[in-house]
Amino acid sequence: MVSLLDIIGPVMVGPSSSHTAGACRLGLLARGLVGGTPERALIELHGSFARTGEGHGTDKAIAGGLMGFRPDDDRIRDALDIAEREGLVYTFEKTKLGEEGETHPNTVRITLEHGSRKAVMMGASLGAGRVLVNEVDGYPVEVSGAYHTIVLVAEDIKGSIARISGILADDGVNIANLRLTRKQRGGDAFMVIEVDDRPEEQALDDILALDWVQWAYRLDKVAG
Amino acid sequence: MYKALADAIRDAESQGTTLARVALEAESRDQGRTVDDIRSVLHRALVVMRGAVAQGLTGDLRSASGLVGGDAAKMRHGAAGPLSGTPFREVLARALAVQEVNAAMGVIVAAPTAGGAGVLPAVLTGLADARGLSDDAIVDALATAGLIGAIVAERASLSGAEGGCQAETGAAAGMAAGAATEMLGGTPSQAGHAVALAQQGTLGLVCDPLGGLVELPCVFRNATGSAIALAAVEMALAGITFAIPADEVIDVMGEIGRSMDVRYRETAGGGLAATPTGRRLARERLVQIKRSSP
């Protein structure tokens, strides 16, 4: 269903909803994976992002997102200078992340380090500012950023979903979508849990207290 | 939200109200938000639109490539032409202004898109200011524009990559024309004819930006799109009707977009982007952007 407010909006830094606003959202999601502004970032641009990204400020928008700027934050224009002052060391590379026709033309792979945390995220800007994260640390996922999202890696034990959804229910968090992926049977399971309201820190702490959960992160809603 | 403008016009006229009102009520029902809440979001959008107009008219902006910038100020302060001193000239200036701000990475409202963001603020604030209308009247007009845009999104497309520029500045012209017609006292039915009159004037318009950048001709397409919107408003308010209903004009816009060669859908493979000068400028400017980027 099309919303009137989707048409009159979003408020954003120009010039392109896909190459600027969407790129910023991908940076914001990647930031969530390391829980703050990274010290190091390798940003690999593919397809149209690589070809016309500089002219659309895609580099500035992603760097801005990594520092927590939202798409309407006019600091995006100066994000590369701000990054240097903030101690974010970034490298942009143009590369091929997949085959034409299979990999979305506006795809980026972002590799981050923040303290002891490292993460690799691949995602695409689909148009009109909508984004889709399709890989985190090698796990195939689908995160749109249209919800507050919890991502976690856990041992693939029986009843893991019941335990985690129980914890979230106890903490008053309503689950909108839950998806589980794993590289192989009995291997680590990667869970993407989209929830209606921003979960409290407590919910995340309770999940992390489970000894079979390796790590969990809370990604803020970046769209919608 | 409505999927046909004809339904919205029928509801508004049978209830003796405006398209803005039925649009706000439909949005309120769909999203579970109050009309006041929706109007306050639209009001914030208007504040950003006015900010972009003011910033663009200073003339101090340059895009990343240097291809566009500074022309809005010329429209304001340059030599007098036949439209000098009229709201028409002011609308053109404001359309250039907002799109120059967009190209220079300023803050705009993507309405319906970033590439077509100049038309609505130019037409609505330009005409409202000339008539001394309140911001409340413009907020209502934005609701009407949103209704028309939602119908275009549903029936056709609002993406240059999918439907060419007719789906971006063309749709923006249709939205602005319908909204401004109602804002200036036209009936819902007259607003519908304004949408059809504007949209028919942009059918077939290709999306052909140099180097794939939202700069040239995008900045100027927003000005000429606004001119088409103004022509449609003037005709509709004079009582002129267009025989093909707006919904059918929108449908055919979608059909033309789908059959448009990929060269003409934001790929820089055809149109102005593929002219000898277009290619040369894109090459030179992209090199320049690379040099100025770290």
Side-chain angles (χ1 to χ4, degrees), chain B residues 213-228:
Chain B
L213 305 177
V214 190
E215 297 192 12
L216 195 97
C218 318
V219 167
F220 305 100
R221 289 261 165 84
N222 275 263
T224 50
S226 298
I228 286 172

Side-chain angles (χ1 to χ4, degrees), chain B residues 115-282:
Chain B
V119 177
L120 264 183
V123 171
L124 297 184
T125 71
L127 294 179
D129 291 353
R131 288 287 183 91
L133 300 177
S134 67
D135 277 2
D136 272 352
I138 306 176
V139 166
D140 277 340
L142 286 175
T144 309
L147 163 75
I148 298 161
I151 290 166
V152 176
E154 183 69 36
R155 303 180 75 101
S157 168
L158 290 173
S159 152
E162 278 172 15
C165 199
Q166 54 166 7
E168 294 212 25
T169 63
M175 291 160 63
T181 297
E182 187 166 85
M183 183 178 76
L184 297 178
T187 64
S189 167
Q190 284 178 317
H193 287 295
V195 174
L197 284 162
Q199 200 85 62
Q200 64 80 28
T202 60
L203 285 179
L205 191 61
V206 300
C207 178
D208 53 353
L210 270 58
L213 305 177
V214 190
E215 297 192 12
L216 195 97
C218 318
V219 167
F220 305 100
R221 289 261 165 84
N222 275 263
T224 50
S226 298
I228 286 172
L230 290 178
V233 172
E234 194 73 12
M235 287 189 274
L237 285 173
I240 291 173
T241 58
F242 192 69
I244 314 293
D247 291 318
E248 293 182 37
V249 179
I250 291 166
D251 288 345
V252 85
M253 184 273 271
E255 185 192 314
I256 292 169
R258 285 188 294 279
S259 58
M260 207 177 257
D261 193 282
V262 69
R263 286 178 297 162
Y264 304 124
R265 289 189 277 121
E266 213 179 331
T267 55
L272 294 171
T275 57
T277 303
R279 286 188 195 282
R280 177 176 59 76
L281 284 173

Side-chain angles (χ1 to χ4, degrees), chain B residues 62-133:
Chain B
R62 276 281 175 277
S63 65
S65 72
L67 275 171
V68 294
D71 289 327
K74 279 184 203 153
M75 199 77 244
R76 233 248 182 126
H77 304 296
L83 301 172
S84 191
T86 67
F88 203 120
R89 179 157 167 143
E90 180 63 18
V91 166
L92 298 180
R94 292 183 184 197
L96 294 170
V98 174
Q99 207 53 38
E100 286 179 1
V101 167
N102 184 57
M105 298 192 74
V107 180
I108 53 94
V109 185
T113 62
V119 177
L120 264 183
V123 171
L124 297 184
T125 71
L127 294 179
D129 291 353
R131 288 287 183 91
L133 300 177

